[in-house]
Amino acid sequence: MSEPQDAQPGEGGDSRLVEERRAKLAALRAAGVEPFPNEFPGREEIAAVRARHGGLEPGVETEARHRIAGRLLARRGMGKVAFLDLEDGAARIQIQSRLDLVGEEAHRGLLALDLGDLVGIDGVAMMSRRGELTIQVEAWTLLAKSLRPPPDKHHGLRDVETRYRHRELDLLSDPEVRQLFRTRAEVIAEVRRSFDEWGFVEVETPVLQPIYGGALARPFTTHHNALDARLYLRIATELYLKRCVVGGIEKVYEVGKNFRNEGISHKHNPEFTMLEWYEAYADYEDGAGRLERLIAAISERVLGSTVVERNGVDIDFKAPWKRLTLSEAIAAETGVDITTKPSRRELAEPLGRKPADEEVWGKLVDALLSKFVEPKLIQPTFLFDYPEELSPFAKAHRSKPGVVERWEMFCGGIELANAFSELNDPDEQRRRFSQQAAELQRGDDEAQPHDEDFLFALEHGMPPTSGVGLGIDRLVMILTGASNLREVLLFPAMRDAG
């Protein structure tokens, strides 16, 4: 017999069930039962038990004793023999309780537990006549009393907001969600494996910074009481990592959190995970080749193929990827040739509006890219050679005036990565900072502030360097076929439930 279907969290119908469970908790304590013991030593994972007995024939009983633990998910039968389903973090198994084997008190006590309770089981493995591996209960221990009903086992969580706000329930009710986050962990592990094999050094740089920098974005601000100083949550790891290159760590990377005070969408979250790497004596072409090798290797190792399906389309990460210039891509979709330096008004015409007073030339170019080009880049594609106005940390192109050696990589209609041949001339970097300061004065609150400490580092000499930033959340989104960035973030940013 199955427990009645429970109300979903936040739907207002589970207060009676919570009261009933709390009454059971009080009764257990009154009977001298500890409902939250400290440990359960000697426990085996259910998957290992299943693997050991995978070849058993139906109806075969063994003498192999096992100690397993997990969450009670289903119950069938309430007489002298009952079957229950137990699940740990990776696998599920059937258990059988017989009154004549465990005794009436233990049998009735096990059947009185609620779905969602965590239970330890000692018993013997057998294969049921129906071919289901089963642990025949010899003893059981309550390990944690669940005071709230679990999500309905057939339908899971129906409300999307509840899934994100109470991810623990989403994980409980859907093994595919648990697998998605295992895949995410494997992707990050493969990132580290690749860079370690390539001889890079992993470092950690400050999250709290006196000057934010390394990207065009609005920061979060905070106050450090002991220092009596305003600090910023970092928007990028770039400037500190390049200081490491100056210091002689010539192949360096970091996987870390960045924070940008921006909107929330299917591809934006204010807190996100980035990989950045810097390689001395290399340029942006070298960075492109390394990114191709990296993502192809991750896809092959984690998913078993360089081809992934997304929205019914096969995306192939096998190198080489398509390469275009930014100007070619924008001209093909809008007819606007940005190499001729059209006016702000001309840039805004395809957007169907007038440019805002604070909207600088480069921001309008970026708006054309975002609206007309980016959504159509489904297969892995590099867009090369960006206007200087959009790239305060990139070296001027060695043969094309007015642009810098920068590319962005797109896939599945979203940007995944950004790279430069890094600007290492301190005087030119100072001039770029001055340009950005002027943009700040004009009202562009995403412009880059002046960073004298970074200039001090550059004045000691930084070799020619390739730098690449890859969005881990977006990469996982593409590899797993998720339609929304919040699907691949365990606890995404949410508005106040109140």
Side-chain angles (χ1 to χ4, degrees), residues 68 132 142 157 230 269-270 298 346-347 367 372 394 406 416 419 424 434 496:
I68 60 173
E132 180 68 29
L142 178 62
L157 292 177
R230 170 180 284 190
N269 193 70
I298 290 172
E346 290 171 321
L347 287 175
F372 296 107
R406 172 188 178 185
L416 289 191
N424 60 345
S434 297
D496 191 330

Side-chain angles (χ1 to χ4, degrees), residues 380-428:
T381 303
F382 291 110
L383 295 186
F384 278 76
D385 303 340
Y386 277 56
E388 180 185 303
E389 292 87 341
L390 284 171
S391 313
F393 296 105
K395 285 183 76 73
H397 197 283
R398 65 198 76 181
S399 63
K400 298 178 183 179
V403 299
V404 295
E405 293 192 347
R406 172 188 178 185
W407 53 254
E408 289 183 306
M409 178 269 189
F410 299 84
C411 181
I414 59 174
E415 177 200 344
L416 289 191
N418 182 29
F420 311 145
S421 294
E422 298 294 340
L423 178 57
N424 60 345
D425 179 340
D427 293 335
E428 173 62 13

